[in-house]
Amino acid sequence: MKVAPKLKPVNRHLLIVPHFKKEKDTSGVLLPEDYKPREDKYISATILDVASDCSNGFLKYSMDTRRFQENSTIIVDRAMIETVNYRDKEYYIVLENYVCGIINEI
């Protein structure tokens, strides 16, 4: 059994899963082929991994160990999400500068 490679982000990047919305058109109205619905500028995403040189806002400390905040939800600039294709697998990364906030569930 072959396991898919895991991408480890470096240089202040975060490995994320963007929460893209799939919109279904059920109106029955025909639109031009090049029509694209308006997309929000910002999108939520889940952090999978962070580079070790990211700021402390993305890391938590536990017994002198720096770890990322697992499964944290962040808000990022949609246009700055990069797609990396490697061996038929897609990875999404974003530079930490394009993260606008971290969602804290109460």
Side-chain angles (χ1 to χ4, degrees):
M1 180 171 77
K2 204 172 194 182
V3 177
K6 184 175 188 273
L7 177 68
K8 174 65 181 160
V10 296
N11 294 328
R12 298 176 38 236
H13 282 88
L14 288 79
L15 180 65
I16 62 170
V17 175
H19 303 165
F20 295 121
K21 293 180 184 174
K22 300 283 183 182
E23 303 242 353
K24 294 182 181 177
D25 183 17
T26 58
S27 67
V29 177
L30 294 176
L31 298 171
E33 287 183 25
D34 60 346
Y35 172 78
K36 292 183 182 177
R38 182 177 112 26
E39 295 178 330
D40 292 331
K41 178 176 170 87
Y42 299 100
I43 186 172
S44 63
T46 301
I47 299 174
L48 295 180
D49 201 357
V50 300
S52 61
D53 56 354
C54 281
S55 70
N56 293 339
F58 300 106
L59 302 170
K60 63 182 178 181
Y61 292 88
S62 171
M63 304 292 273
D64 298 325
T65 305
R66 286 171 48 119
R67 296 183 348 181
F68 70 98
Q69 295 184 23
E70 299 165 27
N71 298 321
S72 293
T73 300
I74 56 174
I75 304 298
V76 300
D77 186 331
R78 174 191 297 269
M80 297 301 131
I81 297 173
E82 300 287 336
T83 304
V84 177
N85 293 303
Y86 181 75
R87 292 189 182 170
D88 298 326
K89 182 149 174 62
E90 281 189 344
Y91 301 95
Y92 297 97
I93 59 172
V94 65
L95 189 61
E96 72 174 329
N97 289 12
Y98 299 113
V99 175
C100 302
I102 299 174
I103 302 295
N104 289 322
E105 300 291 337
I106 298 176

